[in-house]
Structures are given as structure tokens and as C-alpha cells.
Amino acid sequence: MGVVNVTPDSFSDGGRYADTDSAVAHGLRLLADGADLLDVGGESTRPGATRPLVSEELDRVVPVITELAEAGARVSVDTMRSEVASAALEAGASVVNDVSGGLADPDILRVVADSEATYVAMHWRAHADHMADFATYDGPGGVVGTVRDELAERAWAALSAGIAAERLVLDPGLGFAKRGDHNWELLAHLDALAGLGHPLLVGASRKSFLGRLLADEAGEPRPVDEREAAVVAISTVLAEVGVWGVRVHDVRSTRDAFRVVAALHAARQTTPRIGAR
């Protein structure tokens, strides 16, 4: 899943693709680099971000989705709003990627249920401007058990609204109301979330916990645009465990890593085991 941020304030590339022409051109580059899905978003969810008006979000994403869909791309809309989801589906999107899992706007579940779109429900507790206040997981099972249970509730809500089980994908929500150690624990125990019975989407690309991991000797986090090797490493591991998708900013490097993984798997299947007769 290649990221197309049509925003002025996203943490990774805010402002670079804030107009329709540059966003479409960026999406087409990601498509050429091997993206299976383009995730178009008009609202930044970086920590502390404020929300745009509904009209602003619509103006940002609908023209971009229309052009990318007409160009043959499979498109996802990254939104928490039912109005935006509805307009995006009409414009040609086939996936609704809702970081709130239906909590920010429950009507989004009905919109998706009335369509044939895939729905991605992410683990979420609060909007970006105060989500850090909710990064506490002291109950039984810690962050893994709590995220599993809260995602199970969102899955139940989606299914109850009429979204077919085969069209439901879950996302652990790395960085959303979570500290760095929470993110690592979730990545290490994705099997617990996969046990809910739905495919997983994981978005670790360029996030701050990677910047802190790669900090210099003075403790200064690695800059956002210099974290790609770490993103590729995580994506490679995720490909091995079989997640449904990875949400990345640099599609080409991740696609290259996937080709390496695929080549190794093919070699294992065709090369005789040493000592075998």
C-alpha cells in the first residue's frame, strides 16, 4: 500500500503532494514502482494534528482518487469520515482505510456495508491532538492483549453493520496512542492479532519509534526521510509472516525486498536438500 498524502502537515511528506496534480503524479510513480494499492488521505494523523473541515478533506482527496482510479490504480481512501468515504467510493476507491475503526464516525460502517469495498479497521483510542494521553496498557495481557480485545470489538461492530467477513482487514495502529515499546511488542506478537481471523495491515513506515531506534550518539532521532532501511527490514519480516499488506511511503525499496523474499522461497522449493537422495 503506497501512501499518497494530500495534506500540508503530514509528518513524513506534508506539503510535497498537497495539490491534485502533484498528488496524482506521485501516486502514478508509486504505481509504477509496484504498489498494489494507493492509499489517498486528506487528513494528517500525526501527533498533535488538528482536523481539517469536511469540505477541505473532500476537496483534497476526491479529485486525486478520481484520476488515479481512471488510470487503472486500485485506490484506498484514508479517512475517518462517512461523508468522505461515500464520496471516495463514488469516485472509484475500493478500500476504506479508517484509522478510527468506526469510533470517530460510526456511520462509516454503514457506508462501507452498502458497498462492495474492503474495510480496514485500525486500533484507535483518540484523535491525534490528544491520543498520547491514552497510551496506557496496564490491564491483563498488556498492550497485545488489550489491542487484540479492542480490535475484536471493532471487528464485531463492522460485521454487525453488515460488512462481510471477507472484506474486513485489521490494523494494530502502530504509533496511535502507543509508545515505542508498545509498537515493538505488537510487531513481535502479530500472531495474537491474526488469531482474530482477519487479515492484517501494518503501517510502520518512517514512524518516530524507528527514528528513536536509529538515534545518533547524542540521542537525536534519525530524520524522517533517512529511516527507509529500517522500514524495509520490518517489511521483509512482515512478508515472511504473511500479513495482508504493508503501508509504506517508498514502494520501490519494499517491493525490491519482497522480490528477494520470493526468490529465496522459490529456491527453497526447487533446490534439493543437502544430503537428500
Side-chain angles (χ1 to χ4, degrees):
M1 177 185 277
V3 179
V4 182
N5 287 323
V6 195
T7 58
D9 56 347
S10 291
F11 80 95
S12 63
D13 53 10
R16 293 184 188 177
Y17 316 112
D19 64 89
T20 298
D21 289 344
S22 61
V24 170
H26 180 58
L28 294 176
R29 284 193 297 271
L30 296 178
L31 192 65
D33 285 341
D36 298 299
L37 183 62
L38 299 177
D39 195 37
V40 179
E43 175 180 354
S44 172
T45 52
R46 64 174 175 78
T50 56
R51 307 196 71 188
L53 298 173
V54 175
S55 58
E56 290 178 311
E57 189 178 351
L58 286 167
D59 288 345
R60 291 172 182 176
V61 302
V62 171
V64 176
I65 291 170
T66 299
E67 290 198 36
L68 290 175
E70 289 177 350
R74 186 182 182 205
V75 182
S76 167
V77 61
D78 179 1
T79 186
M80 294 180 272
R81 289 170 162 150
S82 58
E83 304 99 320
V84 177
S86 179
L89 293 173
E90 290 182 9
S94 59
V95 179
V96 174
N97 181 18
D98 177 6
V99 300
S100 81
L103 290 172
D105 182 355
D107 201 41
I108 199 171
L109 301 178
R110 178 196 59 77
V111 169
V112 178
D114 289 343
S115 73
E116 297 182 354
T118 295
Y119 181 65
V120 181
M122 196 190 80
H123 178 265
W124 182 90
R125 286 183 159 183
H127 286 291
D129 58 351
H130 63 289
M131 66 181 174
D133 298 335
F134 295 86
T136 302
Y137 300 90
D138 297 331
V143 65
V144 175
T146 302
V147 169
R148 180 197 61 214
D149 293 347
E150 293 179 5
L151 271 179
E153 292 176 0
R154 302 322 306 153
W156 179 85
L159 296 172
S160 298
I163 298 174
E166 62 269 20
R167 295 194 283 119
L168 179 60
V169 176
L170 302 179
D171 182 338
L174 302 182
F176 287 79
K178 297 172 188 71
R179 302 190 308 267
D181 57 321
H182 295 147
N183 297 328
W184 290 117
E185 287 184 52
L186 288 166
L187 284 169
H189 297 94
L190 289 176
D191 55 330
L193 306 183
L196 293 173
H198 300 283
L200 298 179
L201 171 70
V202 180
S205 185
R206 299 182 179 176
K207 289 191 173 178
S208 60
F209 76 104
L210 297 179
R212 289 191 293 272
L213 175 72
L214 304 173
D216 61 22
E217 293 181 357
E220 188 67 25
R222 181 77 61 83
V224 168
D225 56 358
E226 296 178 18
R227 302 171 185 172
E228 209 55 51
V231 175
V232 171
I234 288 180
S235 298
T236 303
V237 172
L238 294 175
E240 284 285 301
V241 301
V243 299
W244 176 81
V246 290
R247 185 177 185 275
V248 299
H249 296 82
D250 184 343
V251 166
R252 185 175 185 180
S253 60
T254 299
R255 175 60 72 183
D256 287 350
F258 286 175
R259 287 176 175 167
V260 170
V261 171
L264 285 173
H265 279 302
R268 288 171 185 160
Q269 294 170 2
T270 59
T271 303
R273 182 169 55 86
I274 294 175
R277 293 182 182 273

